[in-house]
Amino acid sequence: MGTVATVTLGPDYADRIESVTEHIREIFDRLESELSAYRPDSAISELSRMAGVAPLQVSEDAYHVLSLGQHLGRLSAGAFGNPASPLVSLWGFNGAPVPMAIPSDQSICELLKLVDYRRLVLHDGTAFLPVAGMAVDVGGIAKGYAVDRAYDYCLSAGIRDFLIDFSGNVRAAGRPLRREGWQIGVRDPFDGSRIIGKIALPSGLAVATSGSYERFVEIAGERFSHIIDPRTGYPVTGTASVTVLCADAITADALSTSFFIAGLEGAVELLKKVSSVELLVVPDRYPADLWLTPGLDKA
Ligand code: ADP
Ligand code: MG
């Protein structure tokens, strides 16, 4: 998935680090081959190729990820949506060439018809994009899912103290050496070498951060983030980073992207629809300020 993952085990499991890492690598490799939009042989790419042709039987993993994506589409009133892919490509992400000029309203308008999350048909293990030109991209949710699968594996292997971090999608159990519990440093979106604070990560829960600072394109001297609002067709502005703490990593991953799109204005509305979610938002303005829910325990 084009990024780095780290696995940390508590001291009781030091002699197992190699075999655990190897197992997790296998899980991630398998999921990448199913879920990557970059790989032409993945189930997700196949689904996009079959747009307008016929429903496709997809793997259990792909079905689960797409179903949760659609659920998030409903919760976020269409802000989150795996069918956003054609717009993501239009703006020069996910391997598409960066456009020389800002895309025209007309080209955006044409794609807006193809990116509605409600048009993805999920039924009994099959997925179908009913119109040719539609495409899906589960990049906003797949890393979290991979972390959950690795988390399940660690528990089943009898490991009680561990932390998995897949490019800012983190889930942990137990505690580290000489501490009560795990902590996560939240990176300063305006200065990647600093952290703006630490939050405690209770055993079993997950944290994810979405930021505009790592992946963006520059078109005509302007920076655009890799998260696109499928209702407007434009990259999201106004948010520098969003960190979500919740029950599992796939939800944290999808929600961090969703809250990024919702921004501070939409966050309150979205918070009402999700339960047991803690949130930290850094608006994209200077001087930096933080907005966080009361339950976010500062470590
Ligand atoms: P990161 O955490 O690395 O910043 P995210 O988890 O926030 O990444 O997801 C960003 C990815 O989600 C994009 O690269 C793109 O593939 C996809 N994406 C972009 N816009 C949307 C959207 N509105 N809904 C769902 N997925 C999106
Ligand atoms: Mg995400």
Side-chain angles (χ1 to χ4, degrees), residues 140-214:
I141 196 170
K143 289 193 287 292
Y145 184 68
V147 168
D148 283 337
R149 296 291 68 82
Y151 174 90
D152 292 345
Y153 157 72
C154 285
L155 287 188
S156 71
I159 295 165
R160 294 286 165 260
D161 305 300
F162 61 91
L163 179 141
I164 302 155
D165 180 349
F166 192 3
S167 185
N169 296 276
V170 184
R171 195 167 179 193
R175 67 223 280 281
L177 181 63
R178 287 193 288 272
R179 291 200 96 103
E180 284 302 302
W182 298 96
Q183 314 184 324
I184 301 296
V186 180
R187 196 159 341 145
D188 181 345
F190 304 107
D191 177 359
S193 64
R194 291 165 24 118
I195 59 166
I196 48 171
K198 286 184 179 169
I199 55 178
L201 178 54
S203 182
L205 301 193
V207 146
T209 298
S210 286
S212 55
Y213 46 90
E214 265 178 352

Side-chain angles (χ1 to χ4, degrees), residues 172-259:
R175 67 223 280 281
L177 181 63
R178 287 193 288 272
R179 291 200 96 103
E180 284 302 302
W182 298 96
Q183 314 184 324
I184 301 296
V186 180
R187 196 159 341 145
D188 181 345
F190 304 107
D191 177 359
S193 64
R194 291 165 24 118
I195 59 166
I196 48 171
K198 286 184 179 169
I199 55 178
L201 178 54
S203 182
L205 301 193
V207 146
T209 298
S210 286
S212 55
Y213 46 90
E214 265 178 352
R215 288 176 59 203
F216 53 81
V217 290
E218 252 180 57
I219 309 171
E222 222 181 309
R223 272 191 183 190
F224 293 97
S225 108
H226 64 306
I227 299 176
I228 317 287
D229 190 334
R231 299 163 303 185
T232 64
Y234 282 85
V236 175
T237 56
T239 312
S241 90
V242 166
T243 301
V244 170
L245 171 73
C246 66
D248 56 56
I250 187 173
T251 314
D253 189 7
L255 282 181
S256 67
T257 308
S258 306
F259 276 106

Side-chain angles (χ1 to χ4, degrees), residues 12-113:
D12 296 349
Y13 310 98
D15 56 334
R16 296 179 63 188
I17 188 76
E18 264 169 46
S19 82
V20 169
T21 310
E22 200 40 51
H23 265 97
I24 292 178
R25 196 192 306 277
E26 276 167 27
I27 293 170
F28 285 5
D29 283 348
R30 175 176 62 79
L31 290 176
E32 176 170 29
S33 70
E34 284 178 33
L35 302 178
S36 170
Y38 292 89
R39 303 206 6 187
D41 56 342
S42 75
I44 291 297
S45 300
E46 175 77 18
L47 173 60
S48 300
R49 269 198 305 278
M50 293 293 275
V53 181
L56 181 74
Q57 188 81 41
V58 294
S59 68
E60 221 174 282
D61 294 310
Y63 196 76
H64 185 75
V65 167
L66 290 168
S67 303
L68 188 78
Q70 197 158 52
H71 175 64
L72 259 299
R74 277 191 291 271
L75 285 186
S76 65
F80 188 87
N82 297 131
S85 183
L87 283 169
V88 173
S89 303
L90 178 72
W91 285 93
F93 295 100
N94 289 355
V98 178
M100 302 294 283
I102 293 172
S104 66
D105 285 345
Q106 195 199 342
S107 60
I108 290 173
C109 260
E110 245 145 60
L111 291 183
L112 282 178
K113 295 175 225 151

